Amino acid sequence: MNLKDKVCIITGATSGIGKETAKTIASHGALVVLPVRDLMKGESLKNEILTTNPDARIDILPCNLSSFRSIREFVSSFHSGYNQLHLLINNAGIWETRRKLTEDGIEMNFAVNHLAPFLLTHLLLDTLRASAPARIINVASEAHRQGKIQFEDLEFENKFASFRSYAQSKLANILFTKKLSQQLKGSAVTANCLHPGVVSTNLFDKMPAPMMWVMKPFMIGPAEGAKTTLYLALSDEVQKVSGEYFSKSKPRKPAPEALRQDVADRLWEISKNYTGI
């Protein structure tokens, strides 16, 4: 995909995989719009990119992905300044080890990792369709293989389990991508998702030290972790590919639970109710 003068949104770009993704996308001539919670970090990233690439075009807009109100305000600001969108990369993700609620009263992992990209994408769909060909990329995880959509207790109110909560949210990313690709059929807008690898980022900041000690030797750096995202964003090989799960820049079959149409359909309707779509 030739990104020269194309408009791109990347969430979670102030660190880790998102930061490496933003740098590369900007270097390909795209106008990069970054929704950020911390404006100082956003401006710092913008200045860092401009230092090495003075011609880069980076716009920073406030957005807290744990707030539906903030997401809607971001989209409103975006629509005020831009009438096209060719690439949406839902990269942001968290892993809360203790149960926390958003300002909307929703468990944090489920809200930020699944409901936020669900809402953001839906609010931008008309613009993506009007700008086609366009691509949507959702960063998921191999952790989805340990997940199950707990419809009877989506927010783990009865018994919170950190990894199960995270794994559920990553499974939701794949189910969302599959269902979204069906909705977009015939529109020249594709939707794919990926596992970036086990990447050394601040996602793991709250992990217990013994767990990190075990995981550290298997981790890769953010630049390596961004490769599959960038492949899906830039490669002509995936121009007409949609609804797939990728790892190491290759399509990979996800867990059987991620392929269940009944689960995808039910989650879609519940997510619409949560977000007011």
Side-chain angles (χ1 to χ4, degrees):
M1 186 180 189
N2 184 351
L3 292 181
K4 178 71 173 172
D5 298 324
K6 299 292 196 299
V7 181
C8 172
I9 291 176
I10 307 169
T11 67
T14 56
S15 65
I17 301 169
K19 184 175 182 178
E20 296 300 325
T21 301
K23 287 179 180 179
T24 301
I25 294 296
S27 74
H28 281 259
L31 194 167
V32 182
V33 181
L34 303 179
V36 300
R37 183 182 57 175
D38 188 326
L39 290 175
M40 288 185 64
K41 285 185 177 180
E43 290 298 333
S44 176
L45 171 60
K46 179 178 179 177
N47 292 334
E48 182 180 337
I49 293 174
L50 290 173
T51 298
T52 56
N53 182 8
D55 296 325
R57 292 177 294 167
I58 310 289
D59 287 344
I60 308 296
L61 293 176
C63 183
N64 181 352
L65 292 172
S66 68
S67 163
F68 293 159
R69 171 190 53 78
S70 183
I71 292 170
R72 290 180 183 278
E73 288 175 352
F74 163 76
V75 173
S76 179
S77 296
F78 176 81
H79 283 149
S80 295
Y82 314 89
N83 56 18
Q84 288 187 311
L85 178 60
H86 306 92
L87 180 61
L88 171 61
I89 302 177
N90 289 308
N91 165 82
I94 62 168
W95 186 347
E96 291 291 345
T97 56
R98 296 185 179 183
R99 191 173 188 273
K100 292 174 62 176
L101 302 181
T102 68
E103 69 174 45
D104 300 293
I106 303 168
E107 190 274 317
M108 191 71 75
N109 290 330
F110 185 65
V112 174
N113 292 348
H114 168 60
L115 294 176
F118 183 91
L119 176 59
L120 180 63
T121 302
H122 273 85
L123 295 176
L124 294 167
L125 272 182
D126 286 346
T127 307
L128 284 158
R129 284 192 178 101
S131 308
R135 301 182 187 185
I136 300 166
I137 300 168
N138 298 321
V139 178
S141 169
E142 275 290 279
H144 85 275
R145 297 186 187 277
Q146 308 302 317
K148 184 178 181 182
I149 306 300
Q150 306 284 342
F151 287 113
E152 70 284 356
D153 188 13
L154 280 170
E155 300 183 48
F156 292 89
E157 292 182 75
N158 295 324
K159 186 178 180 181
F160 182 74
S162 171
F163 181 73
R164 286 173 62 208
S165 170
Y166 177 74
Q168 173 184 253
S169 71
K170 294 291 101 180
L171 173 59
N173 291 156
I174 302 177
L175 289 162
F176 167 51
T177 303
K178 294 280 185 183
K179 178 74 174 179
L180 180 62
S181 71
Q182 295 166 4
Q183 299 284 319
L184 292 169
K185 193 172 182 179
S187 69
V189 180
T190 62
N192 291 293
C193 57
L194 68 118
H195 168 58
V198 182
V199 187
S200 181
T201 68
N202 58 12
L203 177 72
F204 299 101
D205 282 353
K206 297 178 181 178
M207 294 298 107
M211 182 183 292
M212 287 303 299
W213 184 80
V214 172
M215 293 175 64
K216 198 75 173 176
F218 303 99
M219 288 182 163
I220 59 176
E224 184 72 18
K227 283 185 176 179
T228 302
T229 300
L230 292 168
Y231 170 77
L232 290 173
L234 299 168
S235 176
D236 289 336
E237 294 177 356
V238 292
Q239 183 177 354
K240 296 183 179 180
V241 176
S242 192
E244 296 296 326
Y245 174 66
F246 284 76
S247 179
K248 295 183 178 179
S249 300
K250 300 289 183 183
R252 185 174 182 190
K253 191 173 182 179
E257 195 71 11
L259 299 173
R260 288 184 55 181
Q261 189 67 48
D262 60 329
V263 175
D265 292 345
R266 187 177 177 187
L267 178 64
W268 183 275
E269 293 304 318
I270 288 173
S271 301
K272 283 171 64 177
N273 290 334
Y274 263 109
T275 55
I277 295 296

